[in-house]
Amino acid sequence: MNIAISSDHGGNNLRKEIISLLNELGHNYQDFGPQTSDSVDYPDYANPVSEGVAAGNFDRGILVCGTGIGMSIAANKVNGIRCALVHDVFSAKATRGHNDSNILAMGERVIGGGLAREIVKTWLAGEFEGGRHERRIEKLSELENK
Ligand code: RB5
């Protein structure tokens, strides 16, 4: 899978942990930074990942900030993005099956690296169930064009 990943300063450490996991799992990825621990603004780092996924340049995106909230709000501003803020394994599976989420957001100040790794593994492996959920995804797209 081809994955785009970024964080802000509040998510730097967890982003690095997730990059180690992506290496272990053998996924291709592009790291959009940041490359220093300086304070940065999360919309600036969410946007290249979101635009890249929406354009089809990446299969999925992963965003990390302190809470995951700022990143998820920023990502969902981009048409075609269904970003899920997830801090448990049940939701990681459900959001793939029901929402066909294409970006995963997590908060480094909320969960530890062990749980985050399980969430990422579950989310990457999760399959969209289609059926009635397809209709609901279509309605989300319609909201973007209002
Ligand atoms: C940065 O201090 C923090 O606000 C950010 O990482 C994130 O939690 C915002 O939602």
Side-chain angles (χ1 to χ4, degrees), residues 12-30:
N12 254 333
N13 294 325
L14 186 55
R15 185 182 98 253
K16 287 173 190 162
E17 175 87 36
I18 299 307
I19 285 173
S20 298
L21 174 65
L22 297 179
N23 283 321
E24 287 167 29
L25 296 174
H27 289 294
N28 295 321
Y29 64 87
Q30 186 168 339

Side-chain angles (χ1 to χ4, degrees), residues 8-11 42 65-71 109:
D8 71 355
H9 55 286
Y42 55 81
C65 63
T67 60
I69 296 170
M71 282 297 207
R109 296 171 189 161

Side-chain angles (χ1 to χ4, degrees), residues 38-78:
D38 295 347
S39 180
V40 296
D41 299 332
Y42 55 81
D44 297 337
Y45 286 83
N47 202 249
V49 168
S50 307
E51 296 280 3
V53 171
N57 298 330
F58 300 95
D59 302 308
R60 307 271 188 88
I62 299 175
L63 298 171
V64 189
C65 63
T67 60
I69 296 170
M71 282 297 207
S72 61
I73 292 171
N76 281 315
K77 299 285 182 195
V78 174

